[in-house]
Amino acid sequence: MQPYSSFGLLKHALTFHENWQRAWRNPVPKKHYDVVIVGGGGHGLATAYYLAKVHGITNVAVLEKGYLGGGNTARNTTIVRSNYLWDEAAHLYEHSMKLWEGLSQELNFNVMFSQRGVLNLGHTLQDMRDIQRRVNANRLNGIDGEVLDAKQVQELVPILDCSQQTRFPVMGASWQPRAGVARHDAVAWGFARAADALGVDLIQQCEVIDIETEDGAATGVMTKQHGRITAGRIGCVVAGNSSVLANMVGLRLPLESHPLQAMVSEPIKPILDTVVMSNHVHGYISQSDKGDLVIGAGIDGYVGYGQRGSYHTIEHTVQAILELFPIFSRVRMNRQWGGIVDTCPDACPIISATPVENLFFNCGWGTGGFKATPGSGHVFAATLAKGEAHPLAKPFSLDRFDTGALIDEHGAAGVAH
Amino acid sequence: MLYIHCPYCEEHRSEEEFHYKGQAHIARPDDPDNCTDVEWADFIYRRDNPRGEHKEQWYHTVGCRKFFNAIRDTQSYEIKTTYKVGEQPDMAAGIVTGQQGSNAS
Ligand SMILES: Cc1cc2nc3c(=O)[nH]c(=O)nc-3n(C[C@H](O)[C@H](O)[C@H](O)COP(=O)(O)OP(=O)(O)OC[C@H]3O[C@@H](n4cnc5c(N)ncnc54)[C@H](O)[C@@H]3O)c2cc1C
Ligand SMILES: [Zn+2]
């Protein structure tokens, strides 16, 4: 692999950028792998990368039914933060945050991680109490956070309507300065290129249609395009399609798949240099480096696999954004889309072995897993390599729904993000 | 936007009048004090979540305020039929017949 550098950029300029090496190979799948990862989103690709990099397991394939990163990875609103309430979740997301901070260097790929800070607005007394509680919990866990009053929020975001004229006036916010955004598809591409360089086979257009078992242990997968591929261990990282995969071995997961929509405006000049989220009026917004306003909606209530939702859902989102930012009332929207998110009853992921030996799931990230991409891959790789849960993954096992040890992050997960 | 037929109001109304209420026909354990944790978790948390035909509950929130069932394709979002609580859907006829006492909600 040719490393990317400014020198390389200059060199390739001389040949009009026509001789760049392909970012990854396009191999024909082998008959057998030590580990097969199903799902070529950010989490699956990160898992493959850390398997090869940290655990030296390189006989690995990532099977993706569409194209790499074409699922939720390239459909999300790219917010990265780690200010979750409970220790288990806070540690997991903060583990990820630390990996984000060195990720572009590590992958030799600019993932455009921009620590521009995230504001979670409070509009009621109860909001502010919850914010105080969460920020205090964060600080005890070594995670940066501050409670701001309305005046401080106004100073950070002059275009935000912090007046008393709104239906739900802004009373303050939690502020995580190290939080921010990253370029989502660059994250998929960066992990893909780095994994490929370590010998991982990335197989696109390869849909898994069955998981094969023998005596209660998974032995391989059946694919639509390339037939049977056997594997020592299988990791399913298919987000909204997790129940479909689980169903192949007769497993029922505590998940529901919902459409989650987002939209971007036409590009405008820089006007918003941080991320603003509000649980109460229910919207979240940032501005991409290209200039478009990136706006996320809430989930559609019904179970849906169609990667599209209902119009009134995005209409309500726009209303919320305008309540916060009347200045955007005449900005035109450019594109709108949906992803399928796998929501879990406690708004926390499942990173777990299953009753089927050698079959593991990493799912349930729902509306907020982009921020966890490197950390999720890192702990899931360790789980797959050793056959037992990484300490950070342990609380997120499937059996928590039987024991009752749920990790209720509905407060910190709040709006979809 | 879904256009949903409420079997009580006997009218198609827009989705905004309704709330989705999850998978239908999940029976509560007969003896909740003596069922296992796994049985309880099956009831509370685990769902079929199919890609395809789904029997589900809807609530006509700003209409008649009644719960009813629907069969909807979760891939195409097409609603095959809706039927009252306590009824069985008659898919072939495209209508719903009343079979009291079977499979409440
Ligand atoms: C609109 C929207 C906004 C969001 N905003 C945020 C945000 O701001 N911050 C945040 O942290 N998170 C956000 N999220 C959530 C985040 O996008 C996801 O949690 C995360 O990207 C999940 O990554 P993944 O790799 O697990 O899944 P995906 O990227 O969906 O990858 C799963 C892959 O599996 C493949 N697959 C499925 N079935 C099969 C099969 N049978 N065989 C082979 N391959 C298969 C799919 O094609 C897909 O590429 C948002 C999500 C959406 C939809
Ligand atoms: Zn009605």
Side-chain angles (χ1 to χ4, degrees):
Chain A
M1 178 179 84
Q2 287 172 4
Y4 293 147
S5 66
S6 38
F7 174 72
L9 206 56
L10 269 175
K11 193 180 87 181
H12 281 288
L14 299 176
T15 51
F16 304 100
H17 297 291
E18 282 173 0
N19 296 316
W20 283 99
Q21 192 188 34
R22 288 185 76 105
W24 51 79
R25 298 163 296 132
N26 209 2
V28 179
K30 295 185 238 170
K31 291 260 169 295
H32 176 84
Y33 291 92
D34 294 340
V35 180
V36 159
I37 307 285
V38 187
H43 289 224
L45 293 164
T47 305
Y49 168 74
Y50 289 113
L51 267 175
K53 173 86 190 196
V54 180
H55 305 280
I57 301 174
T58 55
N59 186 24
V60 174
V62 178
L63 310 182
E64 165 55 50
K65 73 171 174 178
Y67 57 93
L68 300 180
N72 293 342
T73 295
R75 292 165 188 267
N76 69 75
T77 50
T78 79
I79 299 170
V80 174
R81 58 190 181 84
S82 61
N83 52 357
Y84 282 67
L85 176 65
W86 299 103
D87 293 355
E88 297 86 349
H91 291 155
L92 181 63
Y93 289 103
E94 179 61 16
H95 177 59
S96 199
M97 179 65 90
K98 294 215 170 83
L99 291 170
W100 277 112
E101 286 173 330
L103 200 60
S104 291
Q105 294 298 327
E106 158 119 24
L107 299 178
N108 178 233
F109 202 101
N110 186 2
V111 299
M112 296 168 72
F113 181 46
S114 161
Q115 292 176 294
R116 59 185 66 182
V118 168
L119 284 165
N120 293 85
L121 302 179
H123 302 263
T124 65
L125 261 182
Q126 188 57 46
D127 274 2
M128 292 313 296
R129 287 181 190 128
D130 289 342
I131 282 170
Q132 255 148 16
R133 179 181 180 211
R134 185 162 45 77
V135 168
N136 284 332
N138 293 157
R139 293 172 78 132
L140 288 171
N141 273 322
I143 296 166
D144 60 321
E146 283 168 51
V147 180
L148 306 184
D149 63 24
K151 205 166 141 271
Q152 291 167 304
V153 172
Q154 186 75 89
E155 275 162 21
L156 270 174
V157 191
I159 57 168
L160 178 65
D161 187 349
C162 291
S163 71
Q164 293 299 312
Q165 308 308 311
T166 58
R167 181 150 177 227
F168 301 107
V170 174
M171 295 180 71
S174 75
W175 168 239
Q176 186 182 18
R178 280 161 70 241
V181 291
R183 167 126 189 235
H184 44 23
D185 34 22
V187 175
W189 300 334
F191 273 117
R193 175 169 166 273
D196 172 89
L198 293 170
V200 171
D201 282 356
L202 309 174
I203 319 287
Q204 304 185 63
Q205 310 280 318
C206 180
E207 179 175 358
V208 170
I209 50 173
D210 200 13
I211 297 172
E212 302 189 328
T213 56
E214 225 178 272
D215 303 328
T219 53
V221 295
M222 186 54 79
T223 68
K224 199 167 171 181
Q225 293 83 355
H226 298 282
R228 171 176 295 119
I229 299 175
T230 58
R233 287 197 174 127
I234 301 170
C236 295
V237 201
V238 292
N241 281 291
S242 297
S243 295
V244 178
L245 268 282
N247 195 26
M248 294 173 186
V249 292
L251 203 66
R252 261 170 115 226
L253 296 175
L255 295 178
E256 274 193 343
S257 298
H258 290 276
L260 178 63
Q261 305 182 78
M263 66 201 116
V264 290
S265 73
E266 58 192 347
I268 55 176
K269 287 189 176 168
I271 189 164
L272 184 62
D273 64 358
T274 183
V275 182
V276 179
M277 312 177 59
S278 166
N279 285 4
H280 199 79
V281 303
H282 215 284
Y284 45 109
I285 184 167
S286 66
Q287 187 174 22
S288 77
D289 290 350
K290 207 166 61 183
D292 19 21
L293 299 173
V294 182
I295 299 171
I299 58 168
D300 281 77
Y302 47 79
V303 166
Y305 283 86
Q307 292 187 319
R308 62 188 190 284
S310 294
Y311 184 73
H312 66 89
T313 305
I314 49 176
E315 192 180 3
H316 290 189
T317 300
V318 169
Q319 284 167 2
I321 294 300
L322 290 187
E323 166 94 0
L324 300 170
F325 297 97
I327 190 175
F328 292 149
S329 66
R330 274 171 289 170
V331 174
R332 282 169 300 199
M333 290 300 139
N334 222 355
R335 290 181 292 122
Q336 166 271 334
W337 64 89
I340 318 166
V341 297
D342 42 341
T343 61
C344 212
D346 58 356
C348 271
I350 294 164
I351 311 171
S352 184
T354 67
V356 180
E357 209 182 319
N358 296 329
L359 180 66
F360 297 76
F361 270 81
N362 181 354
C363 59
W365 291 96
T367 60
F370 176 68
K371 63 176 73 66
T373 305
S376 157
H378 189 262
V379 301
F380 195 48
T383 304
L384 282 168
K386 306 212 166 93
E388 64 179 81
H390 182 282
L392 288 175
K394 213 171 197 153
F396 299 94
S397 74
L398 259 177
D399 61 19
R400 73 176 187 271
F401 298 94
D402 299 327
T403 63
L406 269 63
I407 306 158
D408 180 6
E409 281 293 353
H410 282 286
V415 273
H417 44 84
Chain B
M1 174 99 65
L2 305 178
Y3 202 41
I4 302 172
H5 184 263
C6 173
Y8 294 99
C9 298
E10 298 183 340
E11 256 181 59
H12 278 89
R13 311 290 301 181
S14 85
E15 183 191 334
E16 275 184 290
E17 290 193 8
F18 300 87
H19 271 112
Y20 181 74
K21 291 291 177 184
Q23 186 178 336
H25 308 303
I26 298 178
R28 187 182 164 90
D30 283 337
D31 185 4
D33 289 336
N34 291 306
C35 72
T36 64
D37 290 346
V38 173
E39 283 165 346
W40 189 243
D42 277 341
F43 168 62
I44 301 268
Y45 298 122
R46 284 186 271 271
R47 295 293 177 263
D48 292 344
N49 195 26
R51 183 179 188 126
E53 209 169 84
H54 191 220
K55 290 188 180 145
E56 57 193 27
Q57 308 177 97
W58 286 84
Y59 179 46
H60 198 175
T61 323
V62 297
C64 60
R65 300 189 71 83
K66 286 192 173 121
F67 283 81
F68 60 93
N69 298 316
I71 297 180
R72 190 179 54 94
D73 188 312
T74 62
Q75 173 76 48
S76 67
Y77 298 173
E78 184 198 350
I79 298 173
K80 306 270 158 91
T81 185
T82 57
Y83 53 103
K84 292 178 186 165
V85 168
E87 288 181 344
Q88 284 295 307
D90 183 350
M91 299 290 286
I95 49 154
V96 175
T97 54
Q99 286 177 13
Q100 290 301 323
S102 56
N103 237 350
S105 76

